Coordinates of all heavy atoms in Angstrom, one line a residue:
W95 N 98.1 106.9 82.0 CA 98.7 106.4 83.2 C 99.4 107.6 83.9 O 99.9 108.4 83.3 CB 99.6 105.3 83.0 CG 99.0 104.0 82.6 CD1 98.6 103.5 81.4 CD2 98.6 102.9 83.5 NE1 98.0 102.3 81.5 CE2 98.0 101.9 82.8 CE3 98.6 102.8 84.9 CZ2 97.5 100.7 83.3 CZ3 98.1 101.6 85.5 CH2 97.6 100.6 84.7
Q96 N 99.3 107.6 85.2 CA 100.0 108.5 86.0 C 100.6 107.8 87.3 O 100.3 106.6 87.5 CB 99.1 109.7 86.4 CG 97.7 109.2 87.0 CD 96.7 110.4 87.0 OE1 97.1 111.5 87.4 NE2 95.5 110.1 86.7
S97 N 101.3 108.5 88.1 CA 102.0 107.9 89.2 C 102.1 108.8 90.4 O 102.0 110.0 90.3 CB 103.4 107.3 88.8 OG 104.2 108.4 88.6
F98 N 102.3 108.2 91.6 CA 102.7 108.9 92.8 C 103.7 108.1 93.6 O 103.8 106.9 93.3 CB 101.5 109.3 93.6 CG 100.7 108.1 94.1 CD1 101.0 107.5 95.3 CD2 99.6 107.7 93.4 CE1 100.3 106.4 95.8 CE2 98.8 106.6 93.9 CZ 99.2 106.0 95.1
S99 N 104.4 108.7 94.4 CA 105.5 108.0 95.2 C 105.2 108.0 96.7 O 104.6 109.0 97.2 CB 106.8 108.7 95.0 OG 107.2 108.6 93.6
V100 N 105.5 107.0 97.4 CA 105.3 106.9 98.8 C 106.6 106.4 99.4 O 107.3 105.5 98.9 CB 104.2 105.9 99.1 CG1 103.9 105.8 100.6 CG2 102.9 106.2 98.4
R101 N 106.9 106.9 100.6 CA 108.1 106.4 101.4 C 107.8 106.4 102.9 O 106.9 107.1 103.3 CB 109.3 107.2 101.0 CG 109.3 108.6 101.5 CD 110.6 109.3 101.2 NE 111.8 108.6 101.7 CZ 113.0 108.8 101.3 NH1 113.3 109.7 100.4 NH2 114.0 108.1 101.9
Y102 N 108.5 105.6 103.6 CA 108.4 105.5 105.0 C 108.9 106.8 105.7 O 109.9 107.3 105.4 CB 109.2 104.3 105.5 CG 109.2 104.1 107.0 CD1 108.1 103.5 107.7 CD2 110.3 104.5 107.8 CE1 108.1 103.3 109.0 CE2 110.3 104.3 109.2 CZ 109.2 103.7 109.8 OH 109.2 103.5 111.2
N103 N 108.1 107.3 106.7 CA 108.5 108.5 107.4 C 108.3 108.4 108.9 O 108.2 109.3 109.6 CB 107.7 109.7 106.9 CG 106.2 109.6 107.2 OD1 105.7 108.5 107.7 ND2 105.4 110.6 106.9
G104 N 108.4 107.1 109.4 CA 108.3 106.9 110.8 C 109.6 106.8 111.5 O 110.6 107.3 111.0
E105 N 109.6 106.2 112.7 CA 110.8 106.1 113.5 C 111.8 105.2 112.8 O 111.4 104.2 112.2 CB 110.5 105.6 114.9 CG 109.7 106.6 115.7 CD 109.4 106.1 117.1 OE1 109.9 105.0 117.4 OE2 108.8 106.8 117.9
R106 N 113.1 105.5 112.9 CA 114.2 104.7 112.3 C 115.2 104.3 113.3 O 115.5 105.1 114.2 CB 114.8 105.5 111.1 CG 113.9 106.0 110.1 CD 114.5 107.2 109.3 NE 115.7 106.9 108.7 CZ 115.9 106.4 107.4 NH1 114.8 106.2 106.7 NH2 117.0 106.1 106.9
P107 N 115.8 103.1 113.2 CA 116.9 102.8 114.1 C 118.1 103.6 113.8 O 118.3 104.2 112.7 CB 117.1 101.3 113.8 CG 116.6 101.1 112.4 CD 115.5 102.1 112.2
D108 N 118.9 103.8 114.9 CA 120.1 104.6 114.7 C 121.1 104.0 113.8 O 121.9 104.7 113.1 CB 120.8 104.8 116.1 CG 119.9 105.6 117.0 OD1 119.1 106.5 116.5 OD2 119.9 105.4 118.3
T109 N 121.2 102.6 113.8 CA 122.1 101.9 112.9 C 121.4 100.8 112.2 O 120.3 100.4 112.6 CB 123.3 101.3 113.8 OG1 122.8 100.4 114.7 CG2 124.1 102.5 114.4
D110 N 122.1 100.3 111.2 CA 121.6 99.2 110.4 C 120.1 99.4 110.0 O 119.2 98.6 110.3 CB 121.7 97.9 111.3 CG 121.6 96.6 110.4 OD1 121.8 96.7 109.2 OD2 121.2 95.6 110.9
V111 N 119.9 100.5 109.3 CA 118.5 100.8 108.8 C 118.1 99.8 107.7 O 118.8 99.6 106.7 CB 118.5 102.2 108.3 CG1 117.1 102.6 107.8 CG2 118.9 103.2 109.3
P112 N 116.9 99.2 107.9 CA 116.4 98.3 106.8 C 116.3 99.0 105.5 O 115.8 100.2 105.5 CB 115.1 97.8 107.3 CG 115.1 98.0 108.8 CD 116.0 99.2 109.0
P113 N 116.6 98.4 104.4 CA 116.5 99.1 103.1 C 115.1 99.6 102.7 O 115.0 100.7 102.1 CB 116.9 97.9 102.1 CG 117.7 97.0 102.9 CD 117.1 97.0 104.3
W114 N 114.0 98.9 103.2 CA 112.7 99.4 102.8 C 112.4 100.7 103.4 O 111.5 101.5 102.9 CB 111.7 98.4 103.2 CG 111.6 98.0 104.7 CD1 112.2 97.1 105.4 CD2 110.7 98.7 105.7 NE1 111.9 97.1 106.7 CE2 111.0 98.1 106.9 CE3 109.9 99.8 105.6 CZ2 110.3 98.5 108.1 CZ3 109.2 100.2 106.8 CH2 109.5 99.6 108.0
M115 N 113.1 101.1 104.5 CA 112.8 102.4 105.1 C 113.3 103.6 104.3 O 112.9 104.7 104.4 CB 113.4 102.5 106.5 CG 112.7 101.6 107.6 SD 113.3 101.9 109.2 CE 112.2 100.9 110.2
D116 N 114.3 103.3 103.5 CA 114.9 104.3 102.6 C 114.3 104.3 101.2 O 114.5 105.2 100.4 CB 116.4 104.2 102.5 CG 117.1 104.5 103.8 OD1 116.6 105.4 104.5 OD2 118.1 103.8 104.2
Q117 N 113.6 103.2 100.9 CA 113.2 103.0 99.5 C 112.0 103.9 99.2 O 111.1 104.2 100.0 CB 112.8 101.5 99.3 CG 112.5 101.2 97.8 CD 112.3 99.7 97.7 OE1 112.5 98.9 98.6 NE2 111.8 99.3 96.5
V118 N 111.9 104.4 97.9 CA 110.8 105.1 97.4 C 109.9 104.2 96.6 O 110.4 103.6 95.6 CB 111.2 106.3 96.6 CG1 110.0 107.1 96.0 CG2 112.0 107.3 97.5
F119 N 108.6 104.0 96.9 CA 107.7 103.1 96.2 C 106.8 103.9 95.3 O 106.2 104.8 95.7 CB 106.9 102.3 97.3 CG 107.7 101.5 98.2 CD1 108.0 102.1 99.5 CD2 108.1 100.3 97.9 CE1 108.8 101.3 100.4 CE2 108.9 99.5 98.8 CZ 109.2 100.1 100.0
E120 N 106.9 103.5 94.0 CA 106.0 104.1 93.0 C 104.8 103.3 92.8 O 104.8 102.1 92.7 CB 106.8 104.3 91.7 CG 107.8 105.5 91.7 CD 108.2 105.8 90.3 OE1 107.8 105.1 89.3 OE2 108.8 106.9 90.1
V121 N 103.7 104.0 92.6 CA 102.4 103.4 92.3 C 101.9 104.0 91.0 O 101.7 105.2 90.9 CB 101.4 103.6 93.4 CG1 100.0 103.0 93.0 CG2 101.9 103.0 94.8
W122 N 101.7 103.2 90.0 CA 101.1 103.6 88.7 C 99.7 103.3 88.7 O 99.2 102.2 89.0 CB 101.9 103.0 87.6 CG 103.3 103.5 87.4 CD1 104.4 103.2 88.0 CD2 103.6 104.6 86.5 NE1 105.5 103.9 87.6 CE2 105.0 104.9 86.7 CE3 102.9 105.5 85.7 CZ2 105.7 105.9 86.0 CZ3 103.6 106.5 85.0 CH2 104.9 106.7 85.2
Y123 N 98.9 104.3 88.2 CA 97.4 104.1 88.2 C 96.8 105.0 87.1 O 97.4 105.9 86.5 CB 96.8 104.5 89.5 CG 96.8 106.0 89.8 CD1 95.7 106.7 89.7 CD2 98.0 106.7 90.2 CE1 95.6 108.1 90.0 CE2 98.0 108.0 90.4 CZ 96.8 108.7 90.3 OH 96.8 110.1 90.6
R124 N 95.5 104.6 86.8 CA 94.7 105.4 85.9 C 93.5 105.9 86.7 O 93.1 105.2 87.6 CB 94.2 104.6 84.7 CG 95.4 104.0 83.8 CD 94.8 103.4 82.6 NE 94.1 102.2 82.8 CZ 93.3 101.6 81.9 NH1 93.2 102.2 80.7 NH2 92.6 100.5 82.2
D125 N 92.9 107.0 86.2 CA 91.8 107.6 86.9 C 90.6 106.6 86.8 O 90.1 106.4 85.7 CB 91.4 108.9 86.3 CG 90.3 109.7 87.0 OD1 89.6 109.0 87.8 OD2 90.2 110.9 86.9
P126 N 90.2 106.0 88.0 CA 89.1 105.0 87.9 C 87.8 105.7 87.4 O 87.0 105.0 86.8 CB 89.0 104.5 89.3 CG 89.6 105.6 90.2 CD 90.6 106.2 89.3
R127 N 87.6 106.9 87.7 CA 86.3 107.6 87.3 C 86.3 107.6 85.7 O 85.2 107.3 85.1 CB 86.2 109.0 87.8 CG 85.0 109.8 87.4 CD 85.0 111.2 88.0 NE 84.1 112.0 87.3 CZ 84.3 112.7 86.2 NH1 85.5 112.5 85.6 NH2 83.4 113.4 85.7
E128 N 87.4 108.0 85.1 CA 87.4 108.0 83.6 C 87.2 106.6 83.0 O 86.6 106.4 82.0 CB 88.7 108.7 83.1 CG 88.8 110.2 83.5 CD 90.1 110.8 82.8 OE1 90.5 110.3 81.7 OE2 90.6 111.7 83.4
V129 N 87.9 105.6 83.7 CA 87.8 104.3 83.2 C 86.3 103.8 83.2 O 85.8 103.2 82.3 CB 88.7 103.3 84.0 CG1 88.4 101.9 83.6 CG2 90.2 103.7 83.8
I130 N 85.7 104.1 84.4 CA 84.3 103.7 84.5 C 83.3 104.4 83.6 O 82.4 103.8 83.0 CB 83.8 103.9 86.0 CG1 84.6 102.9 86.9 CG2 82.3 103.8 86.2 CD1 84.4 103.2 88.4
C131 N 83.6 105.7 83.3 CA 82.8 106.5 82.3 C 82.9 105.8 81.0 O 82.0 105.8 80.2 CB 83.3 107.9 82.3 SG 82.7 108.9 83.7
N132 N 84.1 105.4 80.6 CA 84.3 104.7 79.3 C 83.5 103.4 79.3 O 82.9 103.0 78.2 CB 85.8 104.3 79.1 CG 86.6 105.5 78.7 OD1 86.0 106.6 78.4 ND2 87.9 105.4 78.8
M133 N 83.4 102.7 80.4 CA 82.6 101.5 80.5 C 81.1 101.8 80.3 O 80.3 101.1 79.6 CB 82.8 100.7 81.8 CG 84.1 100.1 82.0 SD 84.3 99.3 83.6 CE 86.0 98.7 83.5
L134 N 80.7 102.9 81.0 CA 79.2 103.3 80.9 C 78.9 103.7 79.5 O 77.8 103.4 79.0 CB 79.0 104.4 81.9 CG 79.1 104.2 83.3 CD1 78.9 105.4 84.1 CD2 78.1 103.1 83.8
A135 N 79.8 104.3 78.8 CA 79.5 104.8 77.4 C 79.8 103.8 76.3 O 79.6 104.0 75.1 CB 80.4 106.0 77.1
N136 N 80.2 102.6 76.7 CA 80.4 101.5 75.7 C 79.1 101.0 75.1 O 78.3 100.4 75.8 CB 81.2 100.4 76.4 CG 81.8 99.4 75.4 OD1 81.3 99.2 74.3 ND2 82.9 98.8 75.7
A137 N 78.9 101.2 73.8 CA 77.7 100.8 73.2 C 77.6 99.3 72.9 O 76.5 98.8 72.6 CB 77.6 101.6 71.8
D138 N 78.8 98.6 73.1 CA 78.8 97.2 72.8 C 77.9 96.4 73.7 O 77.3 95.4 73.3 CB 80.2 96.6 72.8 CG 81.1 97.1 71.7 OD1 80.5 97.6 70.7 OD2 82.3 97.0 71.8
Y139 N 77.8 96.8 75.0 CA 76.9 96.1 75.9 C 75.8 97.0 76.5 O 75.4 96.8 77.6 CB 77.7 95.4 77.0 CG 78.8 96.2 77.6 CD1 78.6 97.2 78.5 CD2 80.1 95.8 77.2 CE1 79.7 97.8 79.1 CE2 81.2 96.5 77.8 CZ 81.0 97.5 78.7 OH 82.1 98.2 79.3
A140 N 75.3 97.9 75.6 CA 74.2 98.8 76.1 C 72.9 98.0 76.4 O 72.1 98.3 77.2 CB 73.9 99.8 75.0
K141 N 72.8 96.8 75.7 CA 71.6 96.0 75.9 C 71.8 94.9 76.9 O 70.9 94.1 77.1 CB 71.1 95.4 74.5 CG 70.6 96.5 73.5 CD 70.1 95.9 72.2 CE 69.7 96.9 71.3 NZ 69.2 96.3 70.0
E142 N 73.0 94.8 77.4 CA 73.3 93.8 78.5 C 73.8 94.6 79.7 O 74.8 94.3 80.3 CB 74.4 92.9 78.0 CG 74.0 92.1 76.7 CD 75.1 91.3 76.1 OE1 76.0 91.8 75.5 OE2 75.1 90.0 76.3
F143 N 72.9 95.5 80.2 CA 73.2 96.4 81.2 C 72.0 96.6 82.1 O 70.9 96.9 81.6 CB 73.7 97.7 80.5 CG 74.4 98.7 81.4 CD1 75.8 98.8 81.4 CD2 73.7 99.6 82.2 CE1 76.4 99.7 82.2 CE2 74.3 100.5 83.1 CZ 75.7 100.5 83.0
D144 N 72.2 96.5 83.4 CA 71.1 96.7 84.3 C 71.2 98.2 84.9 O 72.2 98.5 85.6 CB 71.2 95.7 85.5 CG 70.9 94.3 85.0 OD1 70.0 94.1 84.2 OD2 71.6 93.4 85.5
Y145 N 70.2 99.0 84.6 CA 70.3 100.4 84.9 C 69.8 100.7 86.4 O 70.1 101.7 86.9 CB 69.4 101.2 84.0 CG 70.0 101.3 82.6 CD1 69.6 100.4 81.6 CD2 71.0 102.2 82.3 CE1 70.2 100.4 80.3 CE2 71.5 102.3 81.0 CZ 71.1 101.4 80.0 OH 71.7 101.4 78.8
R146 N 69.1 99.7 87.0 CA 68.7 99.9 88.4 C 68.6 98.5 89.1 O 68.4 97.5 88.4 CB 67.4 100.7 88.5 CG 66.3 100.2 87.6 CD 65.1 101.0 87.8 NE 64.0 100.8 86.8 CZ 62.8 101.3 86.9 NH1 62.5 102.0 88.0 NH2 61.9 101.1 85.9
P147 N 68.7 98.5 90.4 CA 68.6 97.2 91.1 C 67.2 96.7 91.0 O 66.2 97.4 90.8 CB 68.8 97.7 92.6 CG 69.5 99.0 92.5 CD 69.0 99.6 91.3
Y148 N 67.1 95.3 91.1 CA 65.8 94.7 91.0 C 65.8 93.4 91.8 O 66.9 92.8 92.1 CB 65.5 94.4 89.5 CG 66.4 93.4 88.8 CD1 66.2 92.0 88.8 CD2 67.6 93.8 88.2 CE1 67.0 91.1 88.2 CE2 68.5 92.9 87.6 CZ 68.2 91.6 87.6 OH 69.1 90.7 87.0
H149 N 64.6 92.9 92.1 CA 64.4 91.6 92.7 C 63.6 90.8 91.8 O 62.5 91.2 91.4 CB 63.8 91.8 94.1 CG 64.7 92.2 95.2 ND1 64.2 92.7 96.4 CD2 66.0 92.2 95.3 CE1 65.3 93.0 97.2 NE2 66.4 92.7 96.5
E150 N 64.1 89.6 91.6 CA 63.4 88.6 90.7 C 62.9 87.4 91.5 O 63.7 86.9 92.3 CB 64.3 88.2 89.5 CG 63.5 87.5 88.4 CD 64.4 87.3 87.2 OE1 65.6 87.6 87.3 OE2 63.9 86.8 86.2
F151 N 61.7 87.0 91.2 CA 61.1 85.9 92.0 C 60.6 84.8 91.0 O 60.2 85.1 89.9 CB 60.0 86.4 92.9 CG 60.4 87.4 93.9 CD1 60.3 88.7 93.6 CD2 60.8 87.0 95.2 CE1 60.7 89.7 94.5 CE2 61.2 88.0 96.1 CZ 61.2 89.3 95.8
S152 N 60.7 83.6 91.5 CA 60.2 82.5 90.7 C 58.7 82.4 90.6 O 58.0 82.9 91.6 CB 60.8 81.1 91.2 OG 60.2 80.9 92.5
T153 N 58.2 81.9 89.5 CA 56.7 81.8 89.4 C 56.1 80.8 90.3 O 55.0 80.9 90.8 CB 56.3 81.5 87.9 OG1 57.0 80.3 87.5 CG2 56.7 82.7 87.0
D154 N 56.9 79.7 90.6 CA 56.4 78.7 91.5 C 57.1 78.8 92.9 O 58.3 78.7 92.9 CB 56.6 77.3 90.9 CG 58.0 77.1 90.5 OD1 58.7 78.1 90.2 OD2 58.4 75.9 90.5
G155 N 56.4 79.2 93.9 CA 57.0 79.3 95.2 C 57.4 80.7 95.6 O 57.7 81.0 96.7
D156 N 57.4 81.6 94.6 CA 57.7 83.0 94.8 C 59.1 83.2 95.6 O 59.2 84.0 96.5 CB 56.6 83.7 95.6 CG 56.6 85.2 95.5 OD1 57.0 85.7 94.5 OD2 56.3 85.9 96.5
E157 N 60.1 82.4 95.2 CA 61.4 82.4 95.8 C 62.3 83.4 95.1 O 62.2 83.5 93.9 CB 62.0 81.0 95.8 CG 61.3 80.0 96.6 CD 62.1 78.7 96.6 OE1 63.1 78.6 95.9 OE2 61.7 77.7 97.3
H158 N 63.1 84.1 95.9 CA 64.0 85.1 95.4 C 65.1 84.4 94.5 O 65.7 83.5 95.0 CB 64.6 85.9 96.5 CG 65.4 87.1 96.1 ND1 66.0 88.0 97.0 CD2 65.7 87.6 94.8 CE1 66.6 88.9 96.3 NE2 66.4 88.7 95.0
Q159 N 65.3 84.9 93.3 CA 66.3 84.3 92.5 C 67.4 85.4 92.2 O 67.1 86.6 92.0 CB 65.7 83.9 91.1 CG 64.7 82.7 91.3 CD 64.1 82.3 90.0 OE1 63.8 83.1 89.1 NE2 63.9 81.0 89.9
W160 N 68.6 84.9 92.1 CA 69.7 85.8 91.8 C 70.4 85.4 90.6 O 70.6 84.2 90.3 CB 70.7 85.8 93.0 CG 70.2 86.3 94.3 CD1 70.2 87.6 94.7 CD2 69.6 85.6 95.3 NE1 69.7 87.7 95.9 CE2 69.3 86.5 96.4 CE3 69.3 84.2 95.5 CZ2 68.6 86.1 97.5 CZ3 68.7 83.8 96.7 CH2 68.3 84.8 97.7
K161 N 70.9 86.4 89.8 CA 71.7 86.1 88.6 C 72.8 87.1 88.5 O 73.9 86.8 88.8 CB 70.8 86.1 87.4 CG 71.5 85.8 86.1 CD 70.6 85.9 84.9 CE 71.5 85.5 83.6 NZ 70.6 85.7 82.4
D162 N 72.5 88.3 88.0 CA 73.5 89.3 87.9 C 73.6 90.1 89.2 O 72.7 90.1 90.0 CB 73.2 90.2 86.7 CG 73.2 89.4 85.4 OD1 74.2 88.7 85.1 OD2 72.2 89.6 84.6
F163 N 74.6 91.0 89.3 CA 74.9 91.7 90.5 C 73.7 92.5 91.0 O 73.4 92.6 92.1 CB 76.2 92.5 90.4 CG 76.5 93.3 91.6 CD1 77.1 92.7 92.7 CD2 76.1 94.7 91.7 CE1 77.4 93.4 93.9 CE2 76.4 95.4 92.9 CZ 77.0 94.8 94.0
M164 N 73.1 93.2 90.0 CA 72.0 94.2 90.4 C 70.8 93.5 90.9 O 69.8 94.1 91.3 CB 71.7 95.1 89.2 CG 72.8 96.0 88.8 SD 73.4 97.1 90.0 CE 72.2 98.5 89.7
S165 N 70.7 92.1 90.8 CA 69.6 91.4 91.3 C 69.8 91.0 92.8 O 68.9 90.5 93.4 CB 69.3 90.1 90.5 OG 70.4 89.2 90.7
G166 N 70.9 91.4 93.4 CA 71.3 91.0 94.7 C 70.8 92.0 95.8 O 70.4 93.1 95.4
D167 N 71.0 91.6 97.0 CA 70.5 92.5 98.1 C 71.4 93.7 98.3 O 71.0 94.8 98.8 CB 70.4 91.7 99.4 CG 69.3 90.7 99.4 OD1 68.3 90.9 98.7 OD2 69.4 89.6 100.1
L168 N 72.8 93.5 98.1 CA 73.7 94.6 98.3 C 73.3 95.8 97.5 O 73.3 97.0 98.0 CB 75.1 94.2 98.1 CG 76.2 95.2 98.3 CD1 76.2 95.7 99.7 CD2 77.6 94.7 97.9
A169 N 73.1 95.6 96.2 CA 72.8 96.7 95.3 C 71.4 97.4 95.7 O 71.3 98.6 95.7 CB 72.7 96.2 93.8
W170 N 70.5 96.5 96.1 CA 69.1 97.1 96.5 C 69.3 97.9 97.8 O 68.7 99.0 97.9 CB 68.2 95.9 96.7 CG 66.8 96.3 97.0 CD1 66.2 96.7 98.2 CD2 65.7 96.4 96.0 NE1 64.9 97.0 98.0 CE2 64.5 96.8 96.7 CE3 65.6 96.1 94.7 CZ2 63.3 97.0 96.1 CZ3 64.4 96.2 94.0 CH2 63.3 96.7 94.7
D171 N 70.0 97.4 98.8 CA 70.2 98.1 100.0 C 70.9 99.4 99.8 O 70.6 100.4 100.5 CB 70.9 97.2 101.0 CG 70.1 96.0 101.4 OD1 68.9 96.0 101.2 OD2 70.7 95.0 101.9
Q172 N 72.0 99.4 99.0 CA 72.7 100.6 98.7 C 71.8 101.6 98.0 O 71.8 102.8 98.3 CB 73.9 100.3 97.8 CG 75.1 99.6 98.4 CD 76.1 100.7 98.9 OE1 75.7 101.8 99.3 NE2 77.3 100.3 98.9
A173 N 70.9 101.2 97.1 CA 70.0 102.1 96.4 C 69.0 102.7 97.4 O 68.6 103.9 97.3 CB 69.2 101.4 95.3
D174 N 68.6 101.9 98.4 CA 67.7 102.4 99.5 C 68.4 103.5 100.3 O 67.7 104.6 100.6 CB 67.2 101.3 100.4 CG 66.2 100.4 99.8 OD1 65.5 100.9 98.8 OD2 65.9 99.3 100.3
I175 N 69.6 103.3 100.6 CA 70.4 104.4 101.3 C 70.5 105.6 100.5 O 70.3 106.8 101.0 CB 71.8 103.8 101.7 CG1 71.6 102.7 102.7 CG2 72.6 104.9 102.4 CD1 72.9 102.0 103.1

Side-chain angles (χ1 to χ4, degrees):
W95 287 89
Q96 48 193 320
S97 67
F98 61 87
S99 300
V100 184
R101 66 179 303 166
Y102 176 78
N103 61 357
E105 294 182 359
R106 300 158 60 91
D108 295 332
T109 59
D110 197 21
V111 178
W114 62 267
M115 289 188 176
D116 291 323
Q117 190 175 350
V118 177
F119 300 95
E120 280 198 353
V121 177
W122 285 88
Y123 72 103
R124 298 190 294 168
D125 186 339
R127 178 181 166 277
E128 292 186 31
V129 172
I130 291 171
C131 284
N132 285 347
M133 293 181 182
L134 296 175
N136 193 329
D138 289 346
Y139 39 78
K141 295 182 179 180
E142 298 174 285
F143 195 98
D144 293 320
Y145 291 92
R146 50 179 167 169
Y148 64 92
H149 280 166
E150 189 170 9
F151 300 89
S152 63
T153 54
D154 52 335
D156 200 32
E157 293 184 355
H158 189 178
Q159 295 182 322
W160 294 272
K161 182 183 178 184
D162 299 311
F163 178 80
M164 296 297 274
S165 68
D167 292 333
L168 180 60
W170 187 279
D171 294 342
Q172 284 267 33
D174 283 343
I175 295 173

